Amino acid sequence: MRFTTRPTLQGTFGMVSSTHWLASQSAMAVLEDGGNAYDAAVAGAFVLHVVEPHLNGPAGEVPILLAPAGGGVRVLCGQGVAPAGASAAHYRALGLDLVPGTGPLAAAVPGAFDAWMLLLRDHGTKSLADVLKYAIGYADHGHAPVERVGETVRGVRTLFQTEWTSSAAVYLPGGRPPRPGELFRNPALAATWRRLLAETAGAAGREARIEAARQVWRRGFVAEALVRQARRPTKDTSGEHRTGTLTAADLASWSAHYEDPVTYDWNGWTLCKPGPWSQGPVFLQQLALLPPELPPYGSADYVHLLIEGCKLAMADREAWYGDAAEVPLAELLSAPYNDVRRRLAGPRASHELRPGSPGGRAPRLSAHAHTRAADPGDFDALGVGEPTVAEPTVADPATSPAPGEPEVAADGTTRGDTCHIDVVDRWGNMIAATPSGGWLQSNPVVPELGFPLGTRLQMAWLDEGLPGTLTPGRRPRTTLSPTLALRDGEPVLAFGTPGGDQQDQWQLHFFLAAVLRAPVRGGLDLQGAVDAPNWHNDSFPGSFYPRGMRPGAVTVESRTPPGVVAELRRRGHDVTVGDAWSEGRLCAVARDPRTGVLSAAANPRGMQGYAVGR
């Protein structure tokens, strides 16, 4: 009998999995009240803004994959673009070679709020007040925060007290960070949503009121406050006080929108991802690089194969992905291209960044990407990926250092992380979404609103002529990457994870674990796949300021068999052995089209993700 930290939930009414139990239960309450998966996801998402403010906020961004019952899969893009004044030339003229990791210069047009409103308007059934009441309640009356909220605030306490005083007003009540077991409130955020409801109350009908809320965000009091904040000189990671480029025109002219997913067929499955403005196709490229026969699951051969394939896919991400140029995606996913690339994954670990030449095109990387290999012990300075929670468990950390979760420096030079939510309802509607950005440590809280601007522009390059060059009106290439998987054209599985550059590594490992291992209770072993020992590598430029990389570095959980670790080291991998439960933060829901049975699982790492359902 297989043992896991929790059971894979099964039922027929509805399933929710998210990175926080309050968001999961709020979404489930919406299902119980007759709402569908999209109503539930919106309610859960706004609760995530309240209870995981160090991981996401209303002015951040979100890619959403949705599969309406009986319809095709769609991507709802909630990734805002670079403002009209945010050109690479403008930033270089300020003496910058990278977009700062914090502050208003890093702020794209906020995308999350509009995307959730568009989803609710077009696919939901509940009113705006119905879905916002849970977030308003927790912001107004309080919630018991998870430990990481207080830890994050403690890390930036000096910055808040001396520079970002509007953030101190919210996150240092009584002069101290939020504490677990004590109620923490954000009355300014509750007041923002109440005012939004009041100003849209006169609109006739559910959809009209939601559309009115979108206009208040883009042109009303919310927009006015966001622009005022962007114009305030703010200390950022450069050490300077700078103003941003966001204007009223930028906010008024941008809208979330729908687009087709990128898909790849593998062993009877069709995997659906957002386009190459995200890193989503990296997942598909890793599948395309797999040989017809895989080594035994979990063996050293298996882990080595996946690591080396990931390096090749990530190198292509660096050379080809972005919104500022045409991406040769058909060639990147084609069989001839991957037949050639697959041969590069040899028996030894590669320490090189090796992008391919799809269609004979010559790859081009940022000059910065060639110079960021540095002391592997200097993890906090490198900015590799988004924070992991790995801790060293080896006897000599100096010889096998674990990256750890980077401490939040007093100047705010940390990355934030991300959330995730999946929902499937009794009608067969399914959704996977990865909200992020607008973290409490990204920008000062907008005092009139109770939340900060985001910092997603830090993922764009200031070199000219790259697909990921900072370009007005174009999306910065994001790491956010939810997944939907179909079988015989029917949506079966929705999943995703926080973790920045690790997202499409951890998701591939989860997916293969779910489909390669024996079923449990007649269905996919979702919880077993979530719980399985996971790993990631950092052999490519990180997506977050200051864009570091660690060639050859691999971090594995200590539950990985010692023989596997030893063999990986023999093959030339620089292996860090982290904590037993440190790699991956997956959420997943599923529906068996044959039986209608729904299932769900959530990550036990971090002690806050939960699945609920019946």
Side-chain angles (χ1 to χ4, degrees):
M1 182 177 180
R2 191 176 297 160
F3 292 95
T4 59
T5 58
R6 310 164 182 175
T8 294
L9 305 184
Q10 290 188 322
T12 56
F13 180 82
M15 292 284 163
V16 181
S17 179
S18 89
T19 48
H20 197 287
W21 63 85
L22 292 179
S24 295
Q25 189 53 52
S26 298
M28 192 66 201
V30 173
L31 294 180
E32 295 285 2
D33 195 41
N36 66 18
Y38 308 115
D39 300 311
V42 175
F46 278 86
V47 170
L48 287 173
H49 298 157
V50 179
V51 300
E52 293 190 326
H54 58 311
L55 307 179
N56 79 137
E61 44 275 329
V62 59
I64 301 170
L65 283 172
L66 60 149
V73 176
R74 298 288 281 163
V75 175
L76 176 49
C77 175
Q79 174 57 64
V81 299
S87 67
H90 171 66
Y91 285 55
R92 290 197 308 272
L94 295 175
L96 298 167
D97 62 353
L98 288 174
V99 178
T102 61
L105 271 179
V109 177
F113 178 87
D114 197 60
W116 291 119
M117 290 299 99
L118 202 61
L119 178 70
L120 183 66
R121 186 196 72 183
D122 296 344
H123 297 279
T125 64
K126 291 292 188 179
S127 71
L128 185 60
D130 285 339
V131 297
L132 285 179
K133 66 183 180 182
Y134 305 93
I136 292 172
Y138 287 123
D140 203 18
H141 303 299
H143 64 96
V146 295
E147 289 81 358
R148 191 63 69 185
V149 175
E151 291 169 10
T152 302
V153 175
R154 280 193 294 277
V156 287
R157 182 173 186 164
T158 301
L159 178 69
F160 282 11
Q161 291 173 326
T162 60
E163 297 280 348
W164 297 7
T165 54
S166 60
S167 297
V170 174
Y171 289 105
L172 291 170
R176 69 182 196 184
R179 295 184 178 183
E182 297 181 2
L183 291 179
F184 173 70
R185 299 174 175 84
N186 188 343
L189 179 58
T192 294
W193 299 144
R194 286 203 175 96
R195 181 176 176 184
L196 183 78
L197 292 174
E199 291 197 9
T200 59
R206 189 190 78 90
E207 293 182 9
R209 191 170 186 184
I210 295 168
E211 190 59 33
R214 297 179 72 206
Q215 296 309 310
V216 169
W217 177 276
R218 295 160 67 182
R219 294 181 171 86
F221 79 93
V222 176
E224 293 168 1
L226 292 173
V227 171
R228 279 195 300 272
Q229 184 63 46
R231 291 175 178 168
R232 292 187 178 110
T234 300
K235 186 177 181 180
D236 60 29
T237 51
S238 72
E240 301 293 330
H241 290 78
R242 303 182 189 274
T243 57
T245 60
L246 184 69
T247 67
D250 294 319
L251 283 161
S253 62
W254 185 84
S255 171
H257 65 277
Y258 297 97
E259 57 190 45
D260 292 330
V262 179
T263 63
Y264 185 77
D265 293 332
W266 181 82
N267 283 12
W269 291 87
T270 299
L271 284 302
C272 304
K273 300 292 281 189
W277 53 267
S278 76
Q279 73 172 1
V282 162
F283 182 100
L284 308 182
Q285 283 195 253
Q286 290 177 93
L287 285 175
L289 285 162
L290 293 177
E293 296 292 331
L294 293 179
Y297 173 83
S299 65
D301 287 341
Y302 177 87
V303 177
H304 172 80
L305 177 72
L306 267 57
I307 291 170
E308 295 305 297
C310 176
K311 291 175 185 177
L312 295 171
M314 286 294 197
D316 278 344
R317 183 194 77 170
E318 290 307 303
W320 300 108
Y321 289 21
D323 200 33
E326 190 69 27
V327 179
L329 204 53
E331 289 94 339
L332 291 171
L333 292 173
S334 69
Y337 178 80
N338 285 285
D339 287 343
V340 173
R341 296 283 280 166
R342 192 178 300 117
R343 298 187 202 116
L344 296 177
R348 299 282 300 173
S350 170
H351 289 214
E352 299 177 19
L353 193 64
R354 301 179 291 175
S357 300
R361 303 168 181 86
R364 184 183 165 204
L365 297 168
S366 166
H368 192 81
H370 292 293
T371 61
R372 295 308 294 168
D375 179 359
D378 189 18
F379 301 116
D380 291 354
L382 283 172
V384 176
E386 286 183 301
T388 68
V389 291
E391 297 294 344
T393 58
V394 294
D396 183 3
T399 61
S400 185
E405 184 159 31
E407 293 297 324
V408 186
D411 65 355
T413 54
T414 183
R415 278 82 60 206
D417 207 342
T418 300
C419 307
H420 189 81
I421 185 168
D422 301 311
V423 188
V424 60
D425 64 29
R426 62 189 183 274
W427 301 288
N429 299 303
M430 188 176 286
I431 182 171
T434 309
S436 187
W439 313 298
L440 67 86
Q441 66 274 29
S442 63
N443 259 300
V445 166
V446 183
E448 305 93 326
L449 303 178
F451 58 84
L453 287 163
T455 54
R456 193 58 60 171
L457 293 187
Q458 68 180 288
M459 309 181 92
W461 294 111
L462 298 183
D463 310 57
E464 295 288 359
L466 299 174
T469 297
L470 180 64
T471 306
R474 295 291 183 174
R475 294 166 287 189
R477 199 263 307 145
T478 179
T479 53
L480 307 176
S481 184
T483 310
L484 275 173
L486 285 63
R487 191 84 173 173
D488 299 323
E490 290 283 340
V492 171
L493 181 60
F495 58 98
T497 180
D501 294 314
Q502 290 94 303
Q503 287 186 28
D504 282 302
Q505 300 186 58
W506 291 339
Q507 289 187 75
L508 178 73
H509 310 160
F510 160 81
F511 173 71
L512 293 177
V515 303
L516 295 178
R517 303 196 312 170
V520 170
R521 295 175 183 162
L524 295 171
D525 183 14
L526 298 186
Q527 193 64 51
V530 169
D531 288 356
N534 217 320
W535 66 93
H536 80 272
N537 87 90
D538 295 311
S539 293
F540 47 86
S543 295
F544 297 85
Y545 180 91
R547 312 300 296 268
M549 62 187 290
R550 296 167 53 200
V554 176
T555 303
V556 303
E557 292 182 327
S558 62
R559 294 181 294 131
T560 305
V564 171
V565 174
E567 176 61 16
L568 291 175
R569 286 176 172 154
R570 190 191 68 79
R571 294 184 182 205
H573 298 280
D574 179 11
V575 181
T576 290
V577 178
D579 184 75
W581 297 93
S582 56
E583 291 286 319
R585 297 189 279 287
L586 273 299
C587 299
V589 300
R591 179 179 182 272
D592 187 334
R594 302 166 302 165
T595 63
V597 171
L598 313 178
S599 55
N603 172 49
R605 303 163 178 89
M607 303 288 286
Q608 65 193 68
Y610 265 89
V612 295
R614 70 173 179 86

